[in-house]
Amino acid sequence: MSDVADADRADLQIAAPWPGRLARVMVCLTWPLIWVGGLVTTYDAGMSVPDWPGTYGYNLLLYPISTWLLGPFDLFIEHGHRLLAALVGFIAIGLVIASFKTETRRWAIGLSVLVLAAVIGQGVLGGLRVTLSARTLAMIHGCVGPAFFVLCVIAACVTGRKWLAASVRQSAEGTSERTPTAFWPIALLVMAYMQLVLGAMMRHALPGFSPVGFAHIVKTHITIAFVLWLTTALAYWRMRRCGDLTLSRPAGALICFVAIQIGLGFATWIVNYGYPQMLASLSASDSYLLHSKNVLDAWIVTGHVATGSLILAVSSMLLVRLLRRRRVLSFSVSS
């Protein structure tokens, strides 16, 4: 009983507002940052600013606004991507400071430091991609971004009021006492990240990449997409059985997100490569021609990238909430 009481007292002390506020702001900014980064790749604008960490010899924050806003579109989105990334970095610094000042949990302070280290590392990766002009680093940069997004989501979860033991118990009232295992969200996380890695390999295909190898990656990517969709349905069914809306709602949202992602993936293939051979008999495919990406095409391709990160982030939130529920209820049973 004393362990539960001590845990409750510790939980009451973690509701300091600023770490949670800053973590939520980071989540709200990181997803648009992934969107803008996707546009940079879609328009092949990564090398439009050849130097780093400055922009054409200027300090990043002192580059003339008129030149940025009225210059070429490639420059606009690349420099804008850097500015937004710098803003996220400053907020990460604020998160660390707020955590050291108000947090009583050492692991939560360590998490804030990890978030800051991750955003710095991601910035360095992006800079090296420019200075070394390396497509391999661009691919790694594209894989690390969603992982950083997951860290931001976890930070927002553990610093929010729904992390409190009393809040978890309230959400569990009247539900099944049997909490689902962590297998389902872990499986979703693994498959969602595998999809991101495979997508990055397709998107940043290196020179000399064999057609057979590329075709194998495409087939694997498609197969895992439908397995992931089936897994989201099974996860929703399992979370719904326990009756906790904080688990069943994100699980239900994942079904919709993966369905949208599959549709965007199909549209992305058409934008990049034309209609698949199996659909060549459709009348629409006869009049379709590949051309330079217009605004709609660019948003389709970039939306496919960003939605993949969103699926990964929601899966991580589901896992964190599930683990928290299991821990709080296990304390309650032991008392």
Side-chain angles (χ1 to χ4, degrees):
M1 183 67 181
S2 60
D3 291 339
V4 179
D6 291 341
D8 284 341
R9 282 195 295 270
D11 281 337
L12 289 175
Q13 296 173 0
I14 70 168
W18 279 107
R21 290 170 183 168
L22 292 171
R24 288 191 292 272
V25 170
M26 286 190 67
V27 170
C28 293
L29 289 177
T30 301
W31 199 47
L33 179 61
I34 292 173
W35 269 94
V36 178
L39 284 173
V40 169
T41 302
T42 300
Y43 283 103
D44 200 19
M47 297 301 296
S48 61
V49 180
D51 55 336
W52 182 86
T55 299
Y56 287 104
Y58 287 89
N59 181 290
L60 173 67
L61 303 178
L62 299 179
Y63 189 73
I65 295 179
S66 59
T67 306
W68 171 46
L69 296 178
L70 302 178
F73 184 69
D74 288 0
L75 169 64
F76 174 76
I77 58 175
E78 170 61 16
H79 185 63
H81 181 57
R82 295 184 181 191
L83 288 176
L84 187 55
L87 177 59
V88 172
F90 288 135
I91 296 173
I93 294 173
L95 175 62
V96 171
I97 295 173
S99 297
F100 270 100
K101 285 184 173 294
T102 60
E103 271 288 357
T104 58
R105 301 166 297 170
R106 291 184 178 180
W107 64 267
I109 297 174
L111 177 61
S112 69
V113 174
L114 180 61
V115 169
L116 177 59
V119 73
I120 292 173
Q122 178 71 338
V124 171
L125 273 176
L128 291 177
R129 183 267 181 272
V130 171
T131 57
L132 300 179
S133 188
R135 291 186 65 88
T136 302
L137 288 178
M139 181 174 64
I140 296 173
H141 185 64
C143 294
V144 174
F148 170 70
F149 188 30
V150 166
L151 282 178
C152 294
V153 170
I154 293 174
C157 287
V158 304
T159 54
R161 290 187 175 275
K162 288 188 177 180
W163 187 261
L164 298 175
S167 177
V168 175
R169 292 193 192 96
Q170 183 179 4
S171 66
E173 286 180 359
T175 66
S176 169
E177 291 187 2
R178 185 178 179 183
T179 302
T181 66
F183 169 79
W184 296 108
I186 290 176
L188 293 174
L189 264 176
V190 171
M191 284 189 285
Y193 196 73
M194 285 178 60
Q195 286 293 78
L196 284 167
V197 173
L198 291 172
M201 294 174 67
M202 295 167 57
R203 190 165 164 81
H204 301 277
L206 301 176
F209 203 59
S210 70
V212 175
F214 185 80
H216 179 70
I217 291 175
V218 172
K219 292 176 182 178
T220 305
H221 191 60
I222 294 173
T223 301
I224 295 178
F226 285 98
V227 174
L228 176 61
W229 198 15
L230 175 62
T231 306
T232 58
L234 294 174
Y236 172 71
W237 171 74
R238 188 63 191 92
M239 301 303 160
R240 190 171 181 271
R241 284 184 61 190
C242 80
D244 191 340
L245 293 179
T246 63
L247 300 178
S248 61
R249 284 175 176 171
L254 281 171
I255 298 177
C256 300
F257 291 152
V258 176
I260 293 171
Q261 180 72 334
I262 291 174
L264 286 172
F266 179 71
T268 296
W269 182 270
I270 293 175
V271 168
N272 288 329
Y273 308 107
Y275 274 76
Q277 189 66 32
M278 66 180 67
L279 301 179
S281 60
L282 295 178
S283 58
S285 64
D286 295 335
S287 60
Y288 184 83
L289 297 175
L290 289 174
H291 50 75
S292 299
K293 292 183 178 66
N294 55 34
V295 175
L296 178 60
D297 292 344
W299 279 89
I300 287 174
V301 174
T302 307
H304 183 59
V305 175
T307 304
S309 296
L310 184 62
I311 292 170
L312 187 70
V314 176
S315 299
S316 67
M317 180 179 69
L318 180 62
L319 175 60
V320 169
R321 287 183 176 179
L322 179 59
L323 293 177
R324 179 58 174 166
R325 173 187 161 104
R326 292 178 66 88
R327 181 175 183 275
V328 170
L329 295 187
S330 66
F331 271 130
S332 300
V333 171
S334 63
S335 64

